[in-house]
Amino acid sequence: KLLTSFYTLNISAKVEKEDLPMDGKWTEKKRTTSIEIPISASINGSALIIQCTSGYSDITICVTNDSGFFYKRTILAAEAYLAIIDLVNAPQGEYTLVLTNQWGGRLIGNFEIK
């Protein structure tokens, strides 16, 4: 099942979200010695939220699970500040989120939809 909902919205401070722990290395071509990862992911109800604080990388978002669910979208660097993926129709289960960029950066996170 392919979901293509992608939009930007303002998130109320009263809404609770669950940050996804991410493993991997995010590489961007810029002059810095910082090891800060400028991208984060969280689940807010049935929405997967990807936030980026830099405009240096295109971000490819891939969400999969064992039952065949698949979502993939590439967001250009100029647009990559906030992406919200609607998972309201996604089946319950364990999911894997993979974020990649053109510089070889790769972050992997797991989450569950109940």
Side-chain angles (χ1 to χ4, degrees):
K1 184 186 247 184
L2 175 64
L3 296 179
T4 57
S5 298
F6 181 81
Y7 52 90
T8 301
L9 64 90
N10 293 323
I11 301 169
S12 168
K14 293 181 180 181
V15 176
E16 292 185 27
K17 67 178 185 174
E18 175 186 346
D19 290 336
L20 298 178
M22 304 293 286
D23 292 319
K25 179 181 176 185
W26 193 258
T27 306
E28 292 185 341
K29 295 217 178 204
K30 64 180 184 176
R31 294 180 182 180
T32 182
T33 58
S34 171
I35 58 169
E36 177 182 328
I37 297 174
I39 191 164
S40 66
S42 60
I43 292 287
N44 179 349
S46 63
L48 173 61
I49 302 163
I50 310 295
Q51 292 180 295
C52 185
T53 59
S54 76
Y56 296 111
S57 298
D58 297 341
I59 300 171
T60 298
I61 302 167
C62 186
V63 179
T64 58
N65 78 356
D66 291 339
S67 66
F69 177 90
F70 181 79
Y71 172 93
K72 186 173 184 179
R73 178 164 184 148
T74 298
I75 304 167
L76 300 178
E79 306 167 340
Y81 294 102
L82 179 66
I84 299 176
I85 299 140
D86 184 3
L87 298 174
V88 72
N89 294 320
Q92 292 183 354
E94 297 283 329
Y95 287 79
T96 299
L97 167 66
V98 178
L99 304 173
T100 56
N101 69 10
Q102 72 270 32
W103 315 114
R106 181 179 176 91
L107 298 173
I108 300 171
N110 296 296
F111 63 96
E112 182 177 359
I113 295 178
K114 297 179 182 182

